[in-house]
Amino acid sequence: MIWNEILCVGDSITYGARDEYGRSFPAELARMLQQSTGEVYFCHNHGICGETSSDLLRRIWPICRANQSSKIMTLLIGTNDTQKNIPVEIYEDNLRQIITAGKIHGKHIYLLTLPKLSFTPLYMKNTDKIVEYNSVIFKLAVEFNCNVIDLSGVEEHYIDGVHFKHSGNIEIANRTRRVILNSQT
């Protein structure tokens, strides 16, 4: 049996918060990749609700070390950075160090862009940060030779303006599956 592991790191969007079936895009991604390839996939979900890029930076090294078998890593972080108004240069440095840790541990990294936020009280003030953070994601993708998964348009699947219904997790997983399979050929 061929066995593949993927490390998925991020915040509540990676975790799958608010999915009506308790699922996540990593769970859907494993299922889709197995169906597409006939190989077994398991996605280790290291998404934590409320986490910022600074929080993830603190824990990325032991996560990478504990998941040596994962040669692929997805990274979706930054929504909570907007709420806390983290300066763009801090966000960029955090991502740079997170990506570096993944690269040191031999991971091919897929960077997911941040979806636009809908109206929601917690995230109202700094929604312009999404555009700035996404520019950083595209810049670092070039710098570190990472693939980008563009999440533009997934907002139609929001349940609360930030988190996704099950259909949103399926859409994110499907976009991720396509990019992973296209980059492996």
Side-chain angles (χ1 to χ4, degrees):
M1 175 189 316
I2 298 173
W3 178 263
N4 302 284
E5 296 179 53
I6 297 175
L7 175 60
C8 301
V9 296
D11 54 24
S12 58
I13 297 173
T14 299
Y15 178 79
R18 306 281 173 97
D19 182 295
E20 61 267 37
Y21 305 114
R23 301 277 291 180
S24 62
F25 93 78
E28 300 305 329
L29 177 60
R31 178 184 58 78
M32 289 177 182
L33 286 170
Q34 186 165 346
Q35 288 174 345
S36 295
T37 66
E39 299 175 4
V40 175
Y41 277 84
F42 186 83
C43 293
H44 299 276
N45 188 335
H46 284 272
I48 294 186
C49 297
E51 187 156 81
T52 66
S53 61
S54 297
D55 298 322
L56 180 56
L57 176 58
R58 286 185 197 91
R59 67 185 184 96
I60 193 64
W61 191 268
I63 291 171
C64 287
R65 189 173 355 149
N67 290 277
Q68 291 294 336
S69 297
S70 300
K71 299 303 176 199
I72 293 174
M73 181 173 101
T74 66
L75 175 59
L76 174 53
I77 193 80
T79 303
N80 296 306
D81 294 65
T82 65
Q83 182 186 3
K84 296 187 180 198
N85 200 21
I86 302 293
V88 174
E89 60 273 8
I90 299 295
Y91 178 75
E92 181 174 339
D93 188 61
N94 287 342
L95 256 59
R96 180 174 275 110
Q97 290 188 53
I98 292 166
I99 293 167
T100 299
K103 292 282 189 177
I104 289 169
H105 285 89
K107 314 242 181 275
H108 184 84
I109 300 168
Y110 293 81
L111 304 174
L112 287 79
T113 63
L114 302 174
K116 292 179 186 172
L117 297 171
S118 293
F119 175 79
T120 179
L122 291 176
Y123 299 88
M124 282 176 29
K125 290 190 259 180
N126 305 309
T127 57
D128 58 316
K129 291 278 192 210
I130 294 291
V131 173
E132 295 175 40
Y133 291 171
N134 280 338
S135 293
V136 166
I137 290 168
F138 283 107
K139 173 185 170 185
L140 294 177
V142 170
E143 183 179 324
F144 285 95
N145 192 29
C146 299
N147 293 85
V148 174
I149 297 150
D150 188 354
L151 296 186
S152 299
V154 296
E155 301 84 11
E156 69 181 271
H157 299 282
Y158 277 144
I159 197 165
D160 62 3
V162 177
H163 302 99
F164 292 95
K165 299 180 279 190
H166 187 66
S167 61
N169 285 319
I170 289 173
E171 179 62 25
I172 294 168
N174 195 38
R175 290 181 187 201
T176 304
R177 176 193 61 84
R178 282 195 308 263
V179 173
I180 289 173
L181 292 178
N182 287 337
S183 68
Q184 302 296 311
T185 56

